[in-house]
Structure formats: C-alpha cells, structure tokens
Amino acid sequence: MPDTAQVIETQGLVKRFGRFTALDGLDLSVARGEVHGFLGPNGAGKSTTIRVLLGLLRANGGTARLLGGDPWSDVVELHQRLAYVPGDVALWPSMSGGEAIDLLGSLRGGLDDARRDELVERFELDPTKRGRQYSKGNRQKVAIVAALASNAELLILDEPTSGLDPLMENVFQEVLGEAKERGTTVLLSSHILSEVETLADRLSIIRAGRIVETGTLAQIRGNARTSVHATLTRTPAAADLAALHDVHLDGARLTATVDADGIGPAMSALAPYGLESLTVAPPSLESLFLRLYEDEGDAAGAR
C-alpha cells in the first residue's frame, strides 16, 4: 500500500444502524507523526468511527483510508502496523499479563523487549498474575504496555486511561510523549480533556456524527475571550473598562473577559487603579468544548 502523509483520512463517512445514523458525513484527517485528540460526548460517534477504522464495522457511505489502505478490505495487513487500546480491556482469564503482552506483540511483528520491561516497571504491573486476577486498571496497563512496547506505526487509543489512578495517568502521558518522539502517529479519544490538551498537536471535536471543529488548540481557541481576575486598590470608573467584557465587580475584586487582541489595552486601563493581584487565563479546552456544545445545542433548539 502506498505511503501517505495522512495516516488516517475519512471523507463523507456514513454509518447507519437501522434508522439511526451514527456517522453523518464525517471528515477526519490525521497527519503522520502527530497526536490527534478526538473529542465528543457519549453517543457522538467516536467509538463508531474507531470501529470503522479498525475494520470492525463496514461504512454505509463515504471513504476511509488508514495507513494508505482500506480498513475493511486490508484489515489483516493494517493490524500488523497498528495497535489499539480500548477503554475496557478483556484479557484471557488463565493467561498471565506478561503472556498476553507477548501474544499481542507477536500479532504486530514483535516487541522491543527492553521497552517492554521498562514499561512494565514504570506502570508498576505484575506480569505474572493471571487475567482473572487483574483489576480494570491493571487490564488497561497490560494493553497499554503491549501497544507502546510494539513498533506500531499508528496507535488508536479509545479512553486508554480508564481505570488508572492519577499517578499512572501521568506515566501514560510521559510514555505517549516518548512514542510521539519516535514518530508514532496517535489517535487519542479521551474524556480527560487536560490529557488531550497536554498531548495533542491537533484536535477534532465530533457532534452527532460530524466533525464540528478541527485544528490546533490555538486555532480552536480562535477569538475566544481570555478570563481576567484582578484585585484592585480603587474602584474603576465604568468608562475606563470599555476594553473588558462581562465585567463583574465585588468590592475590590474584578472578573471579566477580554478579546485576544485587547489584553494590552485592558491591562493599561486597570493599572491606574492599583493591581494587587492579577490572573490572565486563556480559555481552557474544557471551556471551549462546553461552549461549543452549548452553542450547537442552542442552534438545534432554535430550528
């Protein structure tokens, strides 16, 4: 199959289950070597998209290309080049975790043994335990180690840290960053927005089976306003706060928002009133995500 700069590319992808349309013309593009965040609430179509990309479901319309091949007809060859971690890992009950890691690795052309051992240690995984003895979090660790110890070109991760404690989530972020440095391409679907914000080069947000926003975090932030929290020594005159929006004064404390190109004028306007403390925070991914869904919901309700 030919090499391509786009490791994942779908155009107009449609998937129906009876009368229900799960994917409604989905366009998704993931470039080689990037970590691509894939966001959306339950029922938006994330898992259906991933199942189509893995060749587990056949689309009803549109096109999908994965590593230059067709996910449906080239499924065997493609699965030798990718690794998948679902949000709820099922293991063979009588097989040890180490044996499961090695078996999964053999399906992908083998493992880097040194990296395997290092990851087992970093994730504090006991590879001698049987599948039936593992907690949900430890089952996730087995799948994560098997995926990241392989030399897979593409990682498809669907809520991979489900069940992990915060310490192990931090380890996951570290090792995924190392995989990116090795040139691995990653499609990361996660409900932990801070995780995506930290790791992703680009993001795609899905709603009702369509991509409604895609780009870098900076691009998605676009003209979204920055939050300003200040403690002043004097109460400012309303006329001097024209550069600020959504102004709220509670005694000496001020909260407001400001346009991206208005931060300088806003600070100049506040400075004469004595800044005892000041916090300026760009919109978080979580706030952008929630605002997008609120706006979309309002638009749908107006129709």
Side-chain angles (χ1 to χ4, degrees):
M1 290 177 288
D3 186 32
T4 174
Q6 300 302 318
V7 172
I8 297 174
E9 188 163 22
T10 74
Q11 295 182 346
L13 200 63
V14 175
K15 179 58 188 176
R16 302 185 186 92
F17 298 97
R19 295 182 178 179
F20 174 68
T21 300
L23 301 180
D24 187 18
L26 182 131
D27 298 324
L28 175 67
S29 179
V30 178
R32 186 172 297 280
E34 77 172 354
V35 176
H36 195 101
F38 192 35
L39 302 176
N42 292 338
K46 300 189 306 297
S47 292
T48 300
T49 302
I50 288 172
R51 291 173 70 191
V52 170
L53 293 174
L54 291 171
L56 301 175
L57 290 174
R58 191 169 192 173
N60 296 109
T63 60
R65 304 291 291 175
L66 190 74
L67 291 165
D70 184 312
W72 184 257
S73 60
D74 300 322
V75 62
V76 174
E77 181 179 347
L78 289 174
H79 276 254
Q80 295 173 351
R81 303 171 60 192
L82 67 85
Y84 168 56
V85 178
D88 191 3
V89 173
L91 297 176
W92 297 271
S94 299
M95 186 179 291
S96 73
E99 290 169 338
I101 291 170
D102 292 339
L103 175 59
L104 292 169
S106 69
L107 300 176
R108 301 169 187 141
L111 298 173
D112 181 315
D113 290 334
R115 193 189 308 150
R116 172 198 185 277
D117 295 342
E118 178 191 356
L119 290 172
V120 165
E121 181 177 350
R122 290 170 71 179
F123 279 105
E124 301 178 2
L125 177 68
D126 182 351
T128 65
K129 285 188 175 181
R130 304 294 173 184
R132 68 169 69 93
Q133 298 175 287
Y134 281 129
S135 65
K136 174 176 172 54
N138 280 322
R139 293 197 303 272
Q140 292 300 126
K141 291 178 185 180
V142 168
I144 291 170
V145 170
L148 290 168
S150 73
N151 292 313
E153 300 170 52
L154 170 65
L155 300 177
I156 297 180
L157 310 177
D158 188 6
E159 307 289 355
T161 58
S162 175
L164 297 190
D165 63 38
L167 178 61
M168 290 297 103
E169 287 177 6
N170 288 337
V171 173
F172 170 79
Q173 292 187 29
E174 291 173 2
V175 298
L176 197 63
E178 293 161 10
K180 178 186 171 183
E181 291 176 2
R182 294 193 298 270
T184 307
T185 304
V186 182
L187 178 65
L188 173 63
S189 171
S190 176
H191 68 284
I192 304 174
L193 296 182
S194 60
E195 184 173 83
V196 178
E197 192 168 10
T198 298
L199 294 169
D201 300 297
R202 290 196 307 133
L203 313 167
S204 289
I205 300 176
I206 183 173
R207 180 183 175 90
R210 287 176 173 266
I211 299 297
V212 294
E213 195 80 34
T214 192
T216 64
L217 181 58
Q219 289 169 337
I220 291 176
R221 278 178 173 150
N223 294 321
R225 290 173 179 166
T226 292
S227 298
V228 176
H229 300 268
T231 301
L232 308 172
T233 57
R234 295 189 297 115
T235 303
D240 291 337
L241 302 179
L244 298 167
H245 305 276
D246 309 314
V247 176
H248 177 72
L249 280 168
D250 181 10
R253 293 187 295 274
L254 175 143
T255 61
T257 60
V258 61
D259 294 325
D261 58 356
I263 295 175
M267 296 305 98
S268 298
L270 291 175
Y273 296 96
L275 287 168
E276 292 186 351
S277 67
L278 175 67
T279 303
V280 179
S284 67
L285 177 56
E286 181 174 10
S287 67
L288 292 170
F289 181 79
L290 293 174
R291 182 182 301 171
L292 174 65
Y293 269 77
E294 288 169 358
D295 292 346
E296 290 283 329
D298 293 342
R303 288 197 288 270

